[in-house]
Amino acid sequence: MRKTINGKILDTATAEYMCGVACNFYGGDFAWHDTDLYRSKKGQWFLAGEGNCYSMWGRETAGGFIPGEGIRILSDSEALRILEAENADHLIEEYFKITEG
């Protein structure tokens, strides 16, 4: 998937796959999604995925909501929250400044 956002080309084919984003809904549920976290070669974090009408990828139309797909840019803090939620400690240690607690 490839998209230009704010003058930046984000492409899942050239970005580094980081992890999947958990979805607690089955495929037929209106909130189901299939979403992955990526990091571009220049360090931009982003989500790419698809989902049903009430997922983060759903789109509103005149007749209601429909399934959709897309790419969304994330800030460093948003990416960190996702990595923490997915227990991706090795990625957090590699890409973020952390300190001993």
Side-chain angles (χ1 to χ4, degrees):
M1 189 179 307
R2 179 180 166 110
K3 186 168 182 159
T4 302
I5 302 172
N6 297 331
K8 297 178 182 179
I9 296 173
L10 301 169
D11 190 342
T12 58
T14 58
E16 185 177 1
Y17 169 83
M18 294 290 145
C19 68
V21 177
C23 177
N24 297 323
F25 302 100
Y26 65 94
D29 193 289
F30 289 130
W32 172 86
H33 65 88
D34 182 15
T35 305
D36 296 313
L37 176 65
Y38 291 87
R39 188 171 186 267
S40 74
K41 291 179 182 178
K42 293 198 174 189
Q44 179 64 64
W45 295 94
F46 66 96
L47 293 175
E50 63 180 334
N52 288 339
C53 55
Y54 294 132
S55 73
M56 69 178 86
W57 303 110
R59 296 183 302 125
E60 188 171 7
T61 66
F65 288 88
I66 61 171
E69 65 179 19
I71 290 179
R72 293 193 180 159
I73 289 178
L74 298 178
S75 67
D76 288 351
S77 61
E78 289 170 320
L80 177 58
R81 281 195 300 270
I82 290 170
L83 291 170
E84 289 173 341
E86 299 304 328
N87 296 313
D89 294 338
H90 65 289
L91 294 172
I92 294 168
E93 291 174 13
E94 183 176 345
Y95 293 102
F96 294 90
K97 181 178 168 74
I98 58 171
T99 58
E100 188 78 25

